[in-house]
């Protein structure tokens, strides 16, 4: 398939052809995880947060909740590492917490494959080259995820994200989807050493 055609219609067709059957097939699992989250962590079951999408346009990301709302005496939320429960770590290590993002893919806000949607406050911290990661829709999985995930430095992750933008193709997307399945089984690169996931990105010049 022509690369330009795939970037538009072809990629969207792949997303729909995979996402719709997956949502139907996984609906019992989604229901079960939702019940377990409600029982173990309480309400709300879903974590919702505004993230930057294509060209940095904000959208609301959906994930299963993995942390408690534990706060200190001043009412401030405790660090992620203290709020992340063993059950939450299990959801993250198996990527079950990511399943609600299939709804974002169905809505067209995300793709199955693309750079991960990070935090809105990071937008002003990217270099012009790093900002190019927003030239495509964010993905549930991506080239950086199958090449180290959170074990990578921020700079390396962004380098891989931009490489994906420049080499996007049907073959590459299929390769990443296949590798994602294997990496998920192996539970590799879940977090940086000493971090619940990744330390905050403060900019490459920091």
């Amino acid at each position: 398939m022509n690369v330009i055609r795939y970037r538009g219609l072809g990629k969207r067709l792949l997303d729909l052809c995979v996402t719709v059957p997956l949502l139907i097939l996984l609906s019992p699992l989604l229901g079960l995880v939702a019940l377990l989250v409600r029982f173990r962590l309480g309400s709300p079951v879903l974590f919702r947060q505004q993230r930057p999408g294509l060209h940095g346009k904000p959208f609301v990301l959906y994930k299963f909740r993995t942390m408690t709302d534990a706060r200190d005496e001043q009412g401030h939320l405790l660090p992620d590492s203290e709020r992340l429960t063993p059950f939450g770590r299990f959801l993250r290590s198996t990527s079950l917490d990511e399943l609600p993002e299939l709804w974002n893919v169905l809505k067209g806000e995300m793709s199955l494959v693309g750079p991960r949607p990070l935090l809105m406050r990071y937008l002003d911290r990217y270099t012009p080259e790093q900002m190019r990661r927003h030239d495509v829709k964010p993905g549930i999985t991506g080239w950086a995820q199958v090449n180290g995930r959170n074990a990578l430095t921020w700079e390396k992750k962004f380098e891989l994200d931009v490489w994906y933008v420049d080499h996007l193709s049907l073959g590459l997307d299929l390769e990443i989807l296949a590798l994602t399945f294997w990496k998920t089984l192996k539970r590799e690169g879940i977090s940086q050493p000493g971090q619940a996931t990744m330390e905050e990105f403060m900019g490459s010049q920091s």
Side-chain angles (χ1 to χ4, degrees), residues 3-19:
V3 173
I4 296 177
R5 289 179 59 193
Y6 177 69
R7 281 178 176 265
L9 179 61
K11 191 168 175 62
R12 181 60 178 156
L13 285 176
L14 175 64
D15 286 341
L16 292 175
C17 287
V18 175
T19 300

Side-chain angles (χ1 to χ4, degrees), residues 20 56 69 92-93 163:
V20 172
D69 288 326
R92 291 190 178 196
S93 68
W163 185 92

Side-chain angles (χ1 to χ4, degrees), residues 54-193:
L54 181 64
H55 305 311
K57 180 180 178 182
F59 72 99
V60 177
L61 176 86
Y62 299 96
K63 297 175 69 172
F64 280 124
R65 181 182 179 188
T66 58
M67 297 185 186
T68 68
D69 288 326
R71 298 174 183 269
D72 60 22
E73 295 178 354
Q74 287 72 43
H76 302 130
L77 286 172
L78 294 176
D80 289 357
S81 59
E82 296 182 39
R83 295 188 295 118
L84 184 60
T85 66
F87 175 64
R89 291 184 187 278
F90 169 76
L91 292 180
R92 291 190 178 196
S93 68
T94 56
S95 296
L96 289 173
D97 64 315
E98 309 278 359
L99 290 180
E101 291 172 34
L102 290 170
W103 176 245
N104 291 116
V105 176
L106 190 64
K107 292 171 65 179
E109 298 163 333
M110 292 179 63
S111 179
L112 289 171
V113 180
R116 286 293 299 162
L118 301 174
L119 301 177
M120 292 298 298
R121 63 177 177 268
Y122 289 2
L123 288 177
D124 293 333
R125 302 175 187 176
Y126 295 132
T127 66
E129 179 70 5
Q130 291 169 347
M131 190 65 184
R132 292 180 56 223
R133 68 192 303 276
H134 294 289
D135 287 350
V136 296
K137 289 181 183 179
I140 294 179
T141 186
W143 191 234
Q145 276 57 53
V146 298
N147 282 284
R149 199 173 174 180
N150 289 330
L152 300 172
T153 64
W154 281 116
E155 285 73 19
K156 185 60 179 179
K157 289 178 73 170
F158 298 151
E159 179 185 327
L160 292 171
D161 287 341
V162 173
W163 185 92
Y164 171 79
V165 171
D166 291 338
H167 295 83
L168 191 158
S169 68
L170 173 61
L172 181 58
D173 277 1
L174 293 176
E175 178 184 352
I176 291 171
L177 289 173
L179 286 171
T180 297
F181 178 74
W182 173 245
K183 296 285 185 178
T184 300
L185 290 178
K186 295 178 69 176
R187 302 188 188 183
E188 293 180 342
I190 304 301
S191 62
Q192 280 186 329

